[in-house]
């Protein structure tokens, strides 16, 4: 049976991507809403995207950056927590992986363009349709996270 894997680049500028047996099925930029001049995760949009039975969820294990301000660190934590809770509601196993681990396994650096190029090479036309702009790097990284999950599970 085919296994549907969700890759999650959890930041507000991140993305979600579904990979089934190594094929990129769908992807979106992280859905957000504006609330009092701040972006918050659009939980309803995330849930609508996740129609289907997930076999595995791979979330990039990230944290606030040392030089980040208190307000942006708090905002980042809120977003990560929202995504984490929504993923737990899916009922599928969750794997957390640091960028250092998954990017090394796929031969990538921290360069976002390299992730976009790798997704285009690995997934072909579906990736070219879903990842068209530099701002779509979150979709590319989510797809590659799912790919890492597919290869390691």
């Amino acid at each position: 049976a085919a296994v549907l894997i969700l890759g999650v680049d959890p930041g507000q500028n991140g993305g979600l991507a579904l990979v089934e047996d190594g094929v990129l099925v769908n992807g979106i930029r992280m859905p957000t809403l504006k609330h009092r001049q701040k972006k918050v995760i659009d939980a309803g949009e995330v849930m609508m995207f996740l129609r289907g039975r997930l076999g595995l969820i791979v979330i990039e294990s990230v944290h606030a950056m040392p030089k980040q301000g208190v307000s942006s660190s708090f905002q980042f934590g809120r977003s990560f927590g929202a995504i984490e809770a929504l993923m737990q509601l899916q009922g599928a196993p969750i794997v957390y992986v640091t960028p250092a681990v998954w990017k090394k396994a796929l031969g990538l650096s921290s360069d976002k363009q390299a992730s976009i190029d790798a997704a285009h090479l690995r997934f072909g036309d579906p990736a070219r349709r879903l990842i068209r702009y530099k701002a779509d790097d979150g979709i590319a990284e989510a797809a590659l996270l799912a790919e890492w999950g597919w290869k390691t599970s």
Side-chain angles (χ1 to χ4, degrees):
V3 177
L4 191 60
I5 300 177
L6 174 70
V8 182
D9 182 351
Q12 291 180 347
N13 298 320
L16 303 166
L18 293 165
V19 170
E20 190 167 31
D21 286 342
V23 176
L24 180 59
V25 178
N26 202 357
I28 57 169
R29 290 183 191 173
M30 187 62 69
T32 58
L33 298 168
K34 249 209 159 99
H35 174 68
R36 296 188 185 146
Q37 304 310 310
K38 301 236 189 256
K39 284 203 293 191
V40 295
I41 300 298
D42 184 344
E45 192 68 31
V46 170
M47 295 304 276
M48 282 185 1
F49 176 75
L50 295 178
R51 283 176 278 196
R53 205 75 198 118
L54 296 174
L56 180 67
I57 298 168
V58 181
I59 302 176
E60 189 174 52
S61 181
V62 289
H63 47 79
M65 299 301 182
K67 301 262 188 254
Q68 232 175 354
V70 176
S71 178
S72 51
S73 290
F74 183 76
Q75 198 59 22
F76 182 80
R78 272 185 73 181
S79 295
F80 190 83
I83 280 298
E84 201 170 30
L86 288 167
M87 294 307 111
Q88 289 173 8
L89 289 170
Q90 299 307 307
I94 298 174
V95 173
Y96 295 89
V97 60
T98 63
V101 169
W102 76 263
K103 287 185 177 197
K104 182 178 182 195
L106 298 181
L108 293 166
S109 67
S110 61
D111 179 22
K112 301 286 188 189
Q113 187 60 49
S115 293
I116 291 171
D117 294 344
H120 284 170
L121 283 169
R122 171 63 188 90
F123 298 110
D125 286 345
R128 284 187 184 80
R129 278 194 298 279
L130 294 167
I131 306 160
R132 303 205 315 260
Y133 308 102
K134 192 127 178 112
D136 294 333
D137 65 284
I139 302 170
E141 298 222 326
L144 294 166
L145 278 156
E147 165 81 356
W148 176 88
W150 184 63
K151 285 182 168 176
T152 58
S153 64

